[in-house]
Amino acid sequence: MIDPTVHPFGKKMRIHERLIESTLFAFALLSIVITLGIAIILIRESYLFFSDPEVELWGFLTGREWQPMIGRFGFLPLLNATLTTSVIAMALGIPVGLFVAIYLSEYASDKTRGILKPVLEVLAGIPTIVYGYFALTFMTPLLRSIFGMETVEIYNTASAGLVIGILVLPMIATMAEDAIGAVPKELRLAAYALGGTKMETTFKVVIPAALSGLSATFLLALSRAIGETMIVALAAGAGPNLTFSPFEAAETITGYIVRISGGDVSYNSVDYNSIFALGLILFLITFTLNMISRKISRMFHQEYE
Amino acid sequence: MNSLSLAQVLQPGMEQSETEVKKTVLKLEHVNIHYGSFQAVKDASFEIYEKHVTAFIGPSGCGKSTVLRSINRMNDMIRGSWIDGKILFNGHDLYDDQVDPVLIRRRIGMVFQKPNPFPKSIYENIAWGARINGFKGDYDELVEQSLRQAALWEEVKDKLKQNALRLSGGQQQRLCIARTIAVQPEVILMDEPASALDPIATGRIEELILELKNNYTIVIVTHNMGQASRVSDHTAFFMVDDKRTGYLQEYAETEQLFLNPQHKKTEEYISGKFG
């Protein structure tokens, strides 16, 4: 090291720089370690489940009955219920969220934006347990008054799905607004200069140009809907049921995990291990969706470089 | 017509073209443009002639692009902008309350500084404007004709389905010109169309402008005085006053403005003393 008294530009030791860098790195590393830890535990416990003589992988993936008490481990009823609530959620969340985003980014004045954005943020900040009660005490009675008491059961996937749709709405709206806002202003000007109206510009240039960013948003929202737990645990039903009617009670993957992990099933029983296998599957589904979503949004950014 | 006869005296070679009757397409009368409380341009009055190229030159901030954008009401897009005075297009005031800016832009097209093709195929870029205008004719023919007029057809005829963003910058800019032509406007406004391009691509755009003037009235904003002198018939020189408000300093036939400027400021600017 050069002595600063000898060399006017001698290197100075800056210990606090080193310190802050390594601290920040340690925290970044911690999040990776936690993720890996979760994955390892899921895989290990799932291995215990699948190595049980009562369980076989093929039967698990294709079986139509989920009754761990009597050794029936077909997970299709749970998957079906999860997909039903998620599809209903997307059917509500995507169009409404998209229209809110289009309105916010293309049409709203600064004043209405200033009101609407905080409202969306409040909506995003409501705990999911509150949404769950909302589903049970508002959405379900509403559905029952519309479609009839005989048709709609007290617990049903429609109610849970619609409320998940409301839950993901602010997320879709905010992210879609970002995707639409990322479309270069020059494209809008080009469309206007060709005699485009506001609607033609928005729907025939801006939205198509934002499509990959929007698809990434939708996939992320779907992943959120699939993983949503509290709403389905409260409102969708507490028993596996392979049904295509959204008005019947049916337990989702997450709903089942909540029921078992909160109940008094003994450790190391097959029932108990099954929730790790289901957790692993959820993890794989959402992980894949997030990866695809990331990939799509990267493609989007390359397009305009 | 006094200034014309003066030009004839100075430039005997121009005599023939100057005997034609020039038809006024656009007439600006005492145009003032404001952004909120800031006045960007004051009292601009001049005429733009049919099938001529008119260049706007001047130092940064002189309002030349602002005036250009006011001609097809693209300034409407900028919040807080307002205008007084009149801009007459074939005798109709473009700022009349009854005027629909969308319809103006279908007659007065615009090419921007940075090439801005849509992230769609080359074909769809050309067809887009015609589609929203409800064009009922043969789209293949329209695309070919527009690309030919923009001197791009030979380069892209085999890859019309390819994404336009994969073209080079110069090709993208010619595509934008083709896209503008496809709407069949009368006037094409160009806002520094070659400033983002290399010298070869710039040269091709300049050739193209000279070609296009047979069919269209062209107004071009440029920082490049060589370009103004090469492509334009008339030049408007804008200056900026000490309140940063732009104004029209001198307007004349290009040769006259460059060879015999009437104002000291014009002479200083074109000889590169500031800008």
Side-chain angles (χ1 to χ4, degrees):
Chain A
M1 194 184 130
I2 301 165
D3 184 344
T5 56
V6 178
H7 196 289
F9 306 121
K11 259 189 188 157
K12 247 180 124 178
M13 278 291 282
R14 292 190 175 88
I15 294 177
H16 54 280
E17 287 287 352
R18 290 273 176 90
L19 200 69
I20 193 81
E21 193 184 325
S22 39
T23 315
L24 294 174
F25 176 73
F27 283 113
L29 196 67
L30 187 67
S31 62
I32 296 175
V33 171
I34 291 171
T35 312
L36 278 178
I38 292 173
I40 288 167
I41 289 174
L42 279 179
I43 291 168
R44 201 187 63 196
E45 302 288 324
S46 309
Y47 176 75
L48 284 177
F49 172 71
F50 285 115
S51 58
D52 192 285
E54 279 187 82
V55 182
E56 49 142 0
L57 186 60
W58 184 248
F60 175 78
L61 291 175
T62 58
R64 294 171 175 211
E65 216 180 329
W66 181 268
Q67 295 294 348
M69 301 289 196
I70 53 168
R72 301 263 166 82
F73 294 100
F75 102 124
L76 283 184
L78 300 179
L79 181 69
N80 180 62
T82 291
L83 292 181
T84 309
T85 52
S86 303
V87 166
I88 292 170
M90 291 298 102
L92 176 69
I94 288 178
V96 179
L98 185 60
F99 281 123
V100 171
I102 292 172
Y103 178 71
L104 279 177
S105 81
E106 305 295 308
Y107 287 88
S109 68
D110 286 345
K111 205 175 151 196
T112 33
R113 261 180 74 94
I115 299 169
L116 206 56
K117 286 280 268 189
V119 170
L120 277 176
E121 276 153 28
V122 167
L123 206 58
I126 296 173
T128 55
I129 183 86
V130 176
Y131 277 110
Y133 272 104
F134 175 69
L136 206 55
T137 59
F138 176 79
M139 194 58 82
T140 301
L142 182 71
L143 290 175
R144 297 189 90 190
S145 70
I146 295 172
F147 296 101
M149 297 288 199
E150 322 77 49
T151 328
V152 185
E153 294 179 8
I154 288 184
Y155 296 104
N156 62 79
T157 46
S159 168
L162 288 173
V163 175
I164 297 174
I166 297 170
L167 170 82
V168 294
L169 179 75
M171 174 189 164
I172 295 178
T174 320
M175 287 182 61
E177 192 203 346
D178 288 346
I180 295 169
V183 173
K185 195 174 142 246
E186 288 76 20
L187 290 186
R188 294 178 175 83
L189 292 180
Y192 285 126
L194 289 168
T197 60
K198 187 153 200 163
M199 198 177 84
E200 286 158 346
T201 302
T202 304
F203 287 92
K204 294 181 181 171
V205 171
V206 178
I207 300 299
L211 209 56
S212 35
L214 292 175
S215 348
T217 300
F218 301 153
L219 284 178
L220 223 54
L222 177 62
S223 150
R224 176 78 183 77
I226 288 174
E228 172 46 37
T229 305
M230 224 52 231
I231 297 171
V232 291
L234 281 176
N241 178 15
L242 187 60
T243 172
F244 293 105
S245 163
F247 294 139
E248 282 179 34
E251 194 165 45
T252 65
I253 300 177
T254 50
Y256 173 79
I257 294 175
V258 167
R259 182 160 61 90
I260 297 303
S261 57
D264 46 12
V265 179
S266 61
Y267 290 132
N268 294 326
S269 68
V270 189
D271 300 30
Y272 184 76
N273 289 339
S274 73
I275 67 174
F276 288 94
L278 292 171
L280 182 66
I281 284 172
L282 272 184
F283 181 72
L284 289 177
I285 294 174
T286 52
F287 181 78
T288 313
L289 287 175
N290 292 1
M291 281 296 133
I292 298 173
S293 158
R294 259 175 77 94
K295 194 139 198 169
I296 293 176
S297 66
R298 275 212 193 134
M299 270 160 50
F300 176 64
H301 285 298
Q302 277 167 358
E303 270 173 36
Y304 294 113
E305 271 165 16
Chain B
M1 297 297 267
N2 282 340
S3 63
L4 292 187
S5 50
L6 179 63
Q8 284 166 350
V9 173
L10 291 165
Q11 297 293 325
M14 289 171 70
E15 208 167 348
Q16 202 186 352
S17 66
E18 294 309 327
T19 52
E20 291 171 25
V21 182
K22 289 192 287 192
K23 189 190 161 219
T24 301
V25 174
L26 285 155
K27 188 171 185 191
L28 284 77
E29 291 179 354
H30 307 292
V31 170
N32 295 288
I33 306 171
H34 311 256
Y35 296 123
S37 58
F38 170 67
Q39 182 162 14
V41 176
K42 68 178 177 194
D43 200 28
S45 298
F46 61 101
E47 295 180 12
I48 289 166
Y49 305 105
E50 186 181 44
K51 293 178 186 173
H52 280 237
V53 179
T54 305
F56 291 0
I57 62 169
S60 300
C62 68
K64 54 192 189 298
S65 289
T66 300
V67 173
L68 188 80
R69 282 196 303 265
S70 70
I71 295 174
N72 67 342
R73 293 194 54 171
M74 288 298 276
N75 269 348
D76 292 16
M77 305 286 149
I78 299 168
R79 217 165 272 187
S81 77
W82 55 282
I83 189 168
D84 60 57
K86 275 186 177 166
I87 299 181
L88 301 169
F89 175 49
N90 295 330
H92 306 288
D93 186 359
L94 295 179
Y95 283 86
D96 191 283
D97 286 343
Q98 299 302 310
V99 162
D100 183 352
V102 167
L103 299 178
I104 292 173
R105 296 185 198 117
R106 294 180 182 184
R107 304 284 298 282
I108 307 178
M110 189 166 208
V111 176
F112 297 82
Q113 185 169 0
K114 211 179 127 212
N116 55 356
F118 299 130
K120 299 171 187 280
S121 69
I122 293 169
Y123 188 99
E124 280 306 315
N125 262 278
I126 309 287
W128 195 88
R131 244 179 219 146
I132 61 161
N133 282 295
F135 177 70
K136 293 277 185 290
D138 183 343
Y139 275 85
D140 291 351
E141 198 183 305
L142 177 78
V143 169
E144 179 173 342
Q145 280 310 315
S146 307
L147 286 168
R148 275 190 195 281
Q149 281 197 64
L152 189 60
W153 173 251
E154 291 302 324
E155 290 158 66
V156 302
K157 62 181 177 190
D158 299 322
K159 46 182 180 183
L160 294 174
K161 299 284 167 219
Q162 183 189 299
N163 193 314
L165 294 173
R166 284 166 59 192
L167 296 173
S168 73
Q171 288 174 324
Q172 288 189 9
Q173 194 61 302
R174 275 179 282 143
L175 178 69
C176 292
I177 293 172
R179 180 174 71 178
T180 304
I181 293 170
V183 185
Q184 289 154 358
E186 255 177 80
V187 181
I188 302 176
L189 309 174
M190 297 184 172
D191 191 358
E192 300 187 43
S195 65
L197 306 178
D198 64 60
I200 292 168
T202 301
R204 303 201 64 170
I205 299 281
E206 288 180 11
E207 280 169 32
L208 180 56
I209 290 170
L210 292 173
E211 194 62 38
L212 289 172
K213 110 182 174 178
N214 295 320
N215 298 309
Y216 305 94
T217 303
I218 293 172
V219 187
I220 176 172
V221 166
T222 178
H223 263 119
N224 179 335
M225 267 161 304
Q227 185 169 74
S229 67
R230 284 189 295 272
V231 302
S232 71
D233 306 301
H234 292 79
T235 298
F237 171 61
F238 290 88
M239 263 304 293
V240 56
D241 70 11
D242 44 15
K243 278 184 281 180
R244 296 191 296 122
T245 299
Y247 61 94
L248 181 66
Q249 176 72 264
E250 187 163 352
Y251 178 68
E253 280 166 32
T254 300
E255 297 216 24
Q256 195 191 345
L257 188 124
F258 276 87
L259 295 175
N260 188 19
Q262 300 297 303
H263 293 268
K264 197 162 164 285
K265 288 256 171 56
T266 316
E267 190 187 340
E268 284 175 354
Y269 183 74
I270 58 177
S271 60
K273 287 212 175 90
F274 70 96

